Amino acid sequence: MKTEKIDVLVIGAGPSGTVAASIVNKAGFKVKVVEKMKFPRFVIGESLLPRCMEALTEAGFIDAVKEKKFQEKFGAKFVKNGIICDYFFADQFTDGWTWTWQVPRAEFDKTLADTLEKMGVPVSYETTVTAIRFDGSNSVTIIQDANGEESRIEARFIIDGSGYGRVIPKLFNMDKPSNLPPRKALFTHAVDVNRSMADEPNRITIVVHELGVWIWIIPFSSGITSVGFVGDPEFFDRYPGNTNEQLRQLMESQPYLSERFRNTEFLFEPRVLQSWSSTTDKFFGDGFVLTGNVTEFLDPVFSSGVTLATVSSQMAAHLVIDKLNGREIDWYNEYMQPMMQGVDTFRSYVMAWYEGTLDTIFFADDQDPLIKSQICSVLAGYVWDTTNPYVANHKNALHKLAAKIEYRDNLRKIKPI
Ligand SMILES: Cc1cc2nc3c(=O)[nH]c(=O)nc-3n(C[C@H](O)[C@H](O)[C@H](O)COP(=O)(O)OP(=O)(O)OC[C@H]3O[C@@H](n4cnc5c(N)ncnc54)[C@H](O)[C@@H]3O)c2cc1C
């Protein structure tokens, strides 16, 4: 069997894998990426957050992405029964990026992977990892190419960015269910001829359909818009028929969508994804680190996926470089704990969203501009800025704020103030 010797093997050429590969390559190590699919390939996750721009910049990808003229995104609009709550990243509390993009992922991910190859990092497409054996932190990985031919890779370290493939957690029985209940998404790309160019397409719109059910509207610069419903799996059982019929009925039932998307062409038969939340106890081990979705993917509502994927890779890549340079790494305190700080902040917001706590905050009258700017920073992905009380106290701050708003509104009902 053919054997190749490298420093770092990266599994997966999604945003997580390519960002990590680029940073490690820049430090002078021999890196190789293996990717199961042929690119471009479809993946969902199209609305980015400003924080991921820092990772894309460090990886050297930002100029190539700019050239693609993807739709620029400046904020997030939340809608409930016709009431609108707009967050603009320019108003955020943390000193960071104030914009990002909305991207068809097939093209975005291919741009990152092509740029990586131009930097000299080989990407083997249609190549699957089938087995890994660790010997201390060195490893031997068996890969299989499109012709079924197997070969060996000897690496000093592995970065697993295999997303929903979860290569190392599956091979080593590390998977465990997330603490979030299972949810389902039904989505397509629609030809958006009725788009209002005055009001959109410069931000994501999130529509509250009913408690626990919401819709994403993510316009692309091509005139195509990604539209998806998310809710409990049982919610979708109310709508009979195939996925196309289900999505048409759902769109018709929601006043915010019905006129705009009536009779619109769908670019593909609406797809379903379900029960995507999964995690593992440890994001690292002797000879490997997990990055991106392999660590934990929570929920699509705040578009955190690509940001957590690229930021985890940025953090992990630096530690891998230090490790290969001979430094002893405390993976728990230097990687897993800081990553969990970000993931857990988003987790509190996701839970508050599904409970309705965030509805009370987002759609309240007279919002405090400072608090709004602090929540805006979380929505921009700055979930590591612990000078922000809505990051530092993420577990309690939202409930306290919602309780205050409810108390004030109740007082107003009794006696106008
Ligand atoms: C319904 C839904 C909506 C979402 N919306 C958003 C959003 O608006 N914004 C956002 O930021 N995120 C969103 N996400 C999350 C987003 O999809 C992911 O977080 C993101 O793609 C993670 O990037 P990644 O690089 O970790 O993994 P991926 O992008 O999944 O890339 C992993 C790669 O690894 C490859 N691979 C898998 N197994 C193997 C193997 N055995 N060998 C070799 N290669 C392998 C795969 O083919 C894939 O190309 C959404 C998710 C869902 C479910």
Side-chain angles (χ1 to χ4, degrees), residues 11-18 34-37 39 41 43-49 105 109 127-130 161-167 184-185 187 204 214 216 218 230 273 276 291-294 297 299-309:
I11 309 173
S16 175
T18 50
V34 291
E35 164 57 53
K36 190 168 83 174
M37 308 288 283
F39 274 27
R41 57 93 179 85
V43 65
I44 197 67
E46 298 145 332
S47 183
L48 308 183
L49 299 183
R105 282 286 301 281
D109 288 18
T127 301
T128 308
V129 169
T130 56
S162 60
Y164 304 103
R166 311 188 61 74
V167 170
K184 176 169 167 173
F187 56 91
I204 187 173
W214 59 276
W216 78 67
I218 304 174
V230 181
L273 278 176
W276 44 71
T291 61
N293 255 28
V294 189
F297 173 65
D299 191 272
V301 66
F302 297 119
S303 309
S304 60
V306 172
T307 295
L308 291 173

Side-chain angles (χ1 to χ4, degrees), residues 80-156:
K80 185 181 179 184
N81 300 330
I83 305 170
I84 291 175
C85 166
D86 252 321
Y87 281 93
F88 290 104
F89 300 135
D91 300 333
Q92 69 155 312
F93 170 82
T94 305
D95 186 17
W97 280 73
T98 55
W99 67 278
T100 183
W101 286 290
Q102 290 165 173
V103 296
R105 282 286 301 281
E107 205 184 337
F108 174 76
D109 288 18
K110 184 165 173 4
T111 305
L112 304 191
D114 288 352
T115 310
L116 182 71
E117 281 192 292
K118 283 188 197 144
M119 293 169 172
V121 178
V123 181
S124 295
Y125 291 101
E126 298 182 88
T127 301
T128 308
V129 169
T130 56
I132 303 173
R133 181 167 49 78
F134 286 100
D135 178 10
S137 60
N138 292 323
S139 57
V140 177
T141 298
I142 308 297
I143 56 170
Q144 192 175 51
D145 68 16
N147 304 317
E149 207 159 301
E150 289 198 324
S151 58
R152 286 158 49 100
I153 297 180
E154 291 182 13
R156 295 169 63 198

Side-chain angles (χ1 to χ4, degrees), residues 111-413:
T111 305
L112 304 191
D114 288 352
T115 310
L116 182 71
E117 281 192 292
K118 283 188 197 144
M119 293 169 172
V121 178
V123 181
S124 295
Y125 291 101
E126 298 182 88
T127 301
T128 308
V129 169
T130 56
I132 303 173
R133 181 167 49 78
F134 286 100
D135 178 10
S137 60
N138 292 323
S139 57
V140 177
T141 298
I142 308 297
I143 56 170
Q144 192 175 51
D145 68 16
N147 304 317
E149 207 159 301
E150 289 198 324
S151 58
R152 286 158 49 100
I153 297 180
E154 291 182 13
R156 295 169 63 198
F157 209 85
I158 298 179
I159 298 175
D160 183 0
S162 60
Y164 304 103
R166 311 188 61 74
V167 170
I168 288 185
K170 279 187 183 157
L171 283 175
F172 295 93
N173 293 322
M174 293 164 65
D175 258 343
K176 73 168 197 189
S178 143
N179 63 353
L180 293 169
R183 296 208 165 85
K184 176 169 167 173
L186 175 67
F187 56 91
T188 193
H189 286 174
V191 181
D192 196 5
V193 285
N194 300 321
R195 179 187 290 176
S196 154
M197 296 306 284
D199 185 41
E200 283 189 23
N202 62 2
R203 60 210 192 281
I204 187 173
T205 301
I206 292 179
V207 183
V208 180
H209 187 64
E210 61 181 54
L211 185 65
V213 182
W214 59 276
I215 303 149
W216 78 67
I217 303 171
I218 304 174
F220 301 140
S221 54
S222 58
I224 303 301
T225 291
S226 176
V227 188
F229 278 73
V230 181
D232 297 335
E234 299 73 45
F235 164 76
F236 293 89
D237 298 342
R238 292 190 221 155
Y239 299 86
N242 59 31
T243 58
N244 186 53
E245 289 159 345
Q246 279 191 315
L247 191 56
R248 297 260 179 218
Q249 290 170 68
L250 280 162
M251 284 175 159
E252 203 51 48
S253 72
Q254 169 49 245
Y256 195 83
L257 301 188
S258 53
E259 268 184 47
R260 176 168 166 185
F261 292 105
R262 187 170 299 143
N263 302 324
T264 192
E265 184 193 341
F266 292 164
L267 288 194
F268 53 82
E269 193 70 17
R271 299 181 191 204
V272 168
L273 278 176
Q274 200 167 335
S275 308
W276 44 71
S277 298
S278 193
T279 187
T280 146
D281 278 330
K282 260 171 80 183
F283 295 178
F284 59 90
D286 216 4
F288 72 87
V289 62
L290 312 178
T291 61
N293 255 28
V294 189
T295 57
E296 177 157 14
F297 173 65
L298 298 166
D299 191 272
V301 66
F302 297 119
S303 309
S304 60
V306 172
T307 295
L308 291 173
T310 52
V311 175
S312 61
S313 288
Q314 200 185 6
M315 277 188 201
H318 286 288
L319 296 170
V320 171
I321 293 166
D322 285 0
K323 155 94 186 149
L324 296 180
N325 283 331
R327 183 167 79 81
E328 188 77 28
I329 308 293
D330 176 352
W331 285 99
Y332 181 79
N333 285 307
E334 293 183 64
Y335 180 63
M336 182 150 171
Q337 204 278 333
M339 269 318 293
M340 287 313 292
Q341 146 73 45
V343 172
D344 285 339
T345 303
F346 273 121
R347 192 192 317 277
S348 295
Y349 280 69
V350 167
M351 289 164 97
W353 171 257
Y354 283 100
E355 285 159 13
T357 309
L358 279 176
D359 276 22
T360 307
I361 295 170
F362 287 173
F363 302 108
D365 296 332
D366 307 330
Q367 296 186 34
D368 179 316
L370 176 63
I371 295 176
K372 194 166 179 190
S373 74
Q374 290 164 338
I375 293 175
C376 184
S377 279
V378 173
L379 303 181
Y382 283 89
V383 286
W384 291 274
D385 175 9
T386 49
T387 66
N388 179 352
Y390 282 82
V391 170
N393 310 319
H394 60 87
K395 279 207 176 111
N396 303 318
L398 296 174
H399 290 112
K400 278 190 186 160
L401 177 60
K404 244 186 188 173
I405 291 169
E406 275 165 2
Y407 178 73
R408 182 200 68 185
D409 289 352
N410 282 337
L411 273 186
R412 280 181 179 174
K413 273 183 212 152

